[in-house]
Amino acid sequence: MVDYIAFDSAQALEYVKNQTNFFAPDAELSCYEFGDGNLNLVFRVHDQQQNSVILKQALPYARCVGESWPLTLDRARIEASVLIRHGEVCPQTTVKVLHRNDALAITVLEDLGHMQILRGQLCEGHTYPNLAADIADYLAKTSFFHSDFYLSPAQKKALVVEFTNPELCAITEDLFFDDPYRQSERNNYPDELQPQVTALQNNLALKLEVAELKAKFLSSPQSLLHGDVHTGSIFVDQTNTKLIDPEFGFFGPIGFDLGSFIGNLLLNYCAQHKRAVELPKRRDLHAYLLNSIQTCVAQFEQTWLQLAKTQTRDLSLQAPGYVQRFINQVLRDAYGFCGTELIRRTIGLAHVADIDGIEDQQARIAVQQHALLLGEQLILQAPQCETKEDLSQLLISLLL
Ligand code: SR1
Ligand code: MG
């Protein structure tokens, strides 16, 4: 077993050249590092004919903070394993793993450089017709086929052990459910937001609902989640959608991934109030984002119900009406988790470029206030909704 070292570009190039066979032995290779995420190194290795692969390597600490925040290398094993499992049930929407080396915390992936990262595209006002349906398909299939509806209890329990991911889950537990609701050195927001943040931190009804969501995150191993479905983890073009980066994967509540996705569309929705200066463009983008949320939720539900009808193996879970009841709860959870994503991305450690990229300070603060209010009301009101139609009505009423 080799000892871990963090690569530079030359070492990444040598590794791909010597340990894989993607390129001919005499290929003239080049390599550069271009990772701009919170945690890892990301290299592109390419030849002179535009053939390329991505080598991703986990660092033993969180890149965005530095060596003072140590972080397990085991996340590379989790990420590669989630990609392989999700790729088996939804290959068209999952980036391909070409090679892995868990000791070096390396995953070599297909290069999606011909596609774009969704967050930047939404910020620039581009839209993608297949996005909502593709994400719905990915979330429904990956969650159904790793749930108790499909796996035997023994298979499921073995997988829960394999995908136990305590350090990365702890980040989510702290950043989503703890920090924003109390004073924390990691919180990050302008002074102008302090009155709203103080009110939020003193809102006991809100803290009770956040406690419910955190308890669910801590102890509902419903299925194998991606764990970090934000719009920076999604590559798009006008035809295809690909998910990357499931290093936060674990067995958790199914609504968490759907809620993270919806939350990121809503962060962009809030930002477009100031980004899209011309009213017709703003209206179009808002309609696109709202429609994408509604389509994604409806198709997620429809695919789940269809899979459950034809492929549920557990006898008790086949009871008439049970799957609908189960999905209604998943959707309520999703809107609640969505609310926590809106709040933590506004006042917590990890922000989004959709909002932080708004240059005018007053405009940015107005967007942050909107995102906080929307997040708060979704967390408070989603538990009273029965169906996806009720949840959709709630969202529309809050966006008016
Ligand atoms: C220290 S990690 C901060 C955030 O980046 C990741 O993408 C996750 O969303 C995490 O919460
Ligand atoms: Mg990531």
Side-chain angles (χ1 to χ4, degrees), residues 38-39 62 64-65 69 71 171-172 175-176 227-228 230 233 247-248 341 344-345 349-350:
N38 287 325
L39 300 179
C64 62
V65 176
W69 188 340
L71 204 51
I171 293 178
T172 303
L175 298 190
F176 269 74
D228 199 19
H230 61 81
S233 299
E247 65 207 302
F248 286 77
E341 175 72 347
R344 73 107 178 188
R345 293 289 191 185
L349 171 80

